[in-house]
Amino acid sequence: MRIIFYLGKGGVGKTTVSASTATAIARSGKRVLIMSTDVAHSLADAFGVELSSTPLEIEKNLFAMEVNVLAEIRENWTELYSYFSSILMHDGANEVVAEELAIVPGMEEMISLRYIWKAAKSGLYDSVVVDAAPTGETMRLLGMPESYGWYSEKIGGWHSKAIGFAAPLLTKFMPKKNIFKLMPEVNGHMKELHGMLQDKSITTFRVVLNPENMVIKEALRVQTYLNLFGYKLDAAVVNKVLPSNSSDPYLQSLIDQQAKYLRVIDNCFYPVPIFKAMQASKEVISTDRLYELSQELFSGRNPMEVLYSNDKTQTLEKINGKYVLSLYLPNVEVDKLAVNIKGDELLVDINNFRKSIVLPNVLVGRKTEGADFEQGTLNITFAN
């Protein structure tokens, strides 16, 4: 079983790259499910079919679905949803507002993750490809399995205290069934899924980006937080690359600008492999066009494989009360090393090589105290 997440900023082409990967896996003879967890679904457009929360077979071995979180809540979490909406309505909220606010924080991420867990555990597929929501929502999604235990205990504890303190007042608003009985069961699912997500032989993550400054910054943020969560980045996919030259001056200026950012991408994501797709002259719609894109992207490699098998590209540990950021930089000769901080970015210059890392919040504002390079790893110490 393989689970492959495609992450990145909105509009970079995650859906197209995800769909092309799934199509290639299916045509290699493996059964694959591709699902979208983005509220603004476009997976159906890529395949040119209508999709729902029930997997649809697009062609042999290829199944697709779009997770509709709101519909799932209303259909299968009615008791929990009704409970909170009834309390809000009692407090004076009108019915429409109460229904909107009754979606408990974290519930959307939890439901999306349960879909992934169910697909992985079903035994129906060899691979699950996830076309994820834009970065912010996806980082919350990936943080959910680890935090769900705390989250469910807090809600369950709040529920118990509320009932014990004000049972006579709340009884008429409470459903007859114990709606919180679901939480331990879901907690078990989340723990199991968390183990699957951190198993690098099962789950890997791929970031999709374009050769643009803001998009690169967002992709670097994805890389940083994946490492903090202990998840595995096994590829960077650069989409919408322009041809190498043009007789048109305006187009050539765009090509030159992209060339600069492509060099930045090569340095920043090294040693993670980088796959590139050219800007298409027409929309990539239909399985045949998606399959052509996969052949261009992966150049004969099996996209279902783990594309980069070494350890994490960076780690953060607290050693003797100080934070140590370790960067894996194999085959780099350290003659002249310079480490600078600019805003929330760490800039590492080694000869003509520059690597940019978006710092996690815990390191923002801290000064560096020193650095050492040992066995292909650069260790940078931050002041307490």
Side-chain angles (χ1 to χ4, degrees):
M1 161 54 63
R2 285 278 283 121
I3 303 173
I4 303 168
F5 278 81
Y6 278 97
L7 316 174
K9 191 175 176 66
V12 296
K14 287 193 309 294
T15 299
T16 302
V17 172
S18 303
S20 71
T21 299
T23 303
I25 292 172
R27 293 193 177 186
S28 73
K30 301 292 185 180
R31 288 172 64 88
V32 58
L33 170 67
I34 177 169
M35 65 168 67
S36 170
T37 63
D38 193 349
V39 175
H41 296 299
S42 54
L43 190 59
D45 299 326
F47 289 118
V49 296
E50 290 290 328
L51 294 176
S52 68
S53 293
T54 301
L56 174 71
E57 188 167 15
I58 306 295
E59 63 176 41
K60 185 180 179 181
N61 296 325
L62 176 60
F63 299 80
M65 63 180 286
E66 292 180 336
V67 176
N68 187 330
V69 173
L70 294 178
E72 172 72 9
I73 290 171
R74 292 182 180 120
E75 289 174 18
N76 298 318
W77 297 74
T78 307
E79 292 176 352
L80 188 63
Y81 182 70
S82 300
Y83 170 56
F84 283 106
S85 63
S86 64
I87 288 179
L88 289 165
M89 285 167 59
H90 178 255
D91 285 342
N94 70 51
E95 187 172 354
V96 174
V97 173
E99 287 185 359
E100 191 67 25
L101 294 177
I103 300 173
V104 181
M107 188 181 288
E108 296 178 51
E109 289 83 3
M110 180 179 65
I111 288 171
S112 295
L113 287 167
R114 284 200 80 198
Y115 270 103
I116 297 168
W117 175 82
K118 286 195 290 185
K121 293 290 291 182
S122 69
L124 297 173
Y125 311 105
D126 300 298
S127 179
V128 176
V129 177
V130 182
D131 172 27
T135 307
E137 293 128 68
T138 300
M139 290 302 102
R140 289 195 296 274
L141 179 82
L142 296 177
M144 190 65 185
E146 196 167 11
S147 62
Y148 181 79
W150 176 89
Y151 170 84
S152 61
E153 285 174 14
K154 290 295 180 185
I155 290 184
W158 167 82
H159 168 71
S160 299
K161 288 177 183 177
I163 295 305
F165 179 73
L169 298 175
L170 292 177
T171 301
K172 64 180 180 179
F173 300 111
M174 293 295 296
K176 294 179 181 179
K177 295 181 181 179
N178 179 8
I179 57 175
F180 295 90
K181 68 184 178 181
L182 282 172
M183 292 198 166
E185 177 189 339
V186 177
N187 193 21
H189 297 170
M190 292 298 103
K191 285 182 178 178
E192 186 174 4
L193 179 62
H194 189 225
M196 294 172 68
L197 294 180
Q198 291 197 313
D199 186 336
K200 298 168 183 61
S201 66
I202 296 175
T203 306
T204 52
F205 298 79
R206 296 170 189 174
V207 61
V208 183
L209 66 159
N210 306 140
E212 301 172 18
N213 186 51
M214 289 182 63
V215 176
I216 294 172
K217 302 292 186 194
E218 188 84 357
L220 290 172
R221 190 165 284 107
V222 169
Q223 183 184 37
T224 293
Y225 281 95
L226 286 177
N227 280 304
L228 285 179
F229 284 130
Y231 297 144
K232 177 72 177 179
L233 181 71
D234 79 333
V237 178
V238 187
N239 195 28
K240 303 179 182 178
V241 178
L242 295 172
S244 56
N245 54 68
S246 172
S247 58
D248 180 82
Y250 173 72
L251 186 56
Q252 186 60 50
S253 69
L254 296 180
I255 292 169
D256 294 340
Q257 181 173 280
Q258 272 203 358
K260 178 182 72 173
Y261 288 129
L262 286 170
R263 288 193 294 272
V264 171
I265 292 168
D266 285 341
N267 286 341
C268 288
F269 286 95
Y270 176 84
V272 173
I274 297 167
F275 299 87
K276 297 182 176 74
M278 303 300 293
Q279 173 70 57
S281 58
K282 57 183 179 180
E283 287 187 287
V284 182
I285 296 174
S286 80
T287 52
D288 287 339
R289 290 282 290 118
L290 289 166
Y291 182 71
E292 289 174 13
L293 174 61
S294 73
Q295 300 309 291
E296 175 191 347
L297 263 178
F298 299 107
S299 303
R301 291 193 67 176
N302 181 358
M304 188 172 159
E305 293 177 355
V306 177
L307 299 174
Y308 177 70
S309 57
N310 285 351
D311 204 355
K312 291 177 288 189
T313 54
Q314 63 192 57
T315 59
L316 178 63
E317 296 178 282
K318 199 167 187 179
I319 302 173
N320 298 325
K322 295 183 180 180
Y323 291 98
V324 178
L325 179 66
S326 299
L327 308 175
Y328 181 57
L329 301 172
N331 307 318
V332 172
E333 297 180 4
V334 183
D335 294 329
K336 295 181 180 179
L337 170 66
V339 178
N340 297 293
I341 295 177
K342 182 180 178 182
D344 66 346
E345 282 185 85
L346 178 74
L347 305 176
V348 181
D349 290 289
I350 306 172
N351 295 332
N352 295 321
F353 175 91
R354 166 169 278 195
K355 187 174 182 69
S356 175
I357 300 103
V358 175
L359 293 172
N361 291 333
V362 72
L363 295 183
V364 174
R366 298 180 188 271
K367 294 182 179 179
T368 57
E369 281 194 349
D372 64 81
F373 190 78
E374 185 178 0
Q375 296 181 342
T377 300
L378 176 65
N379 303 301
I380 304 168
T381 302
F382 287 77
N384 204 342

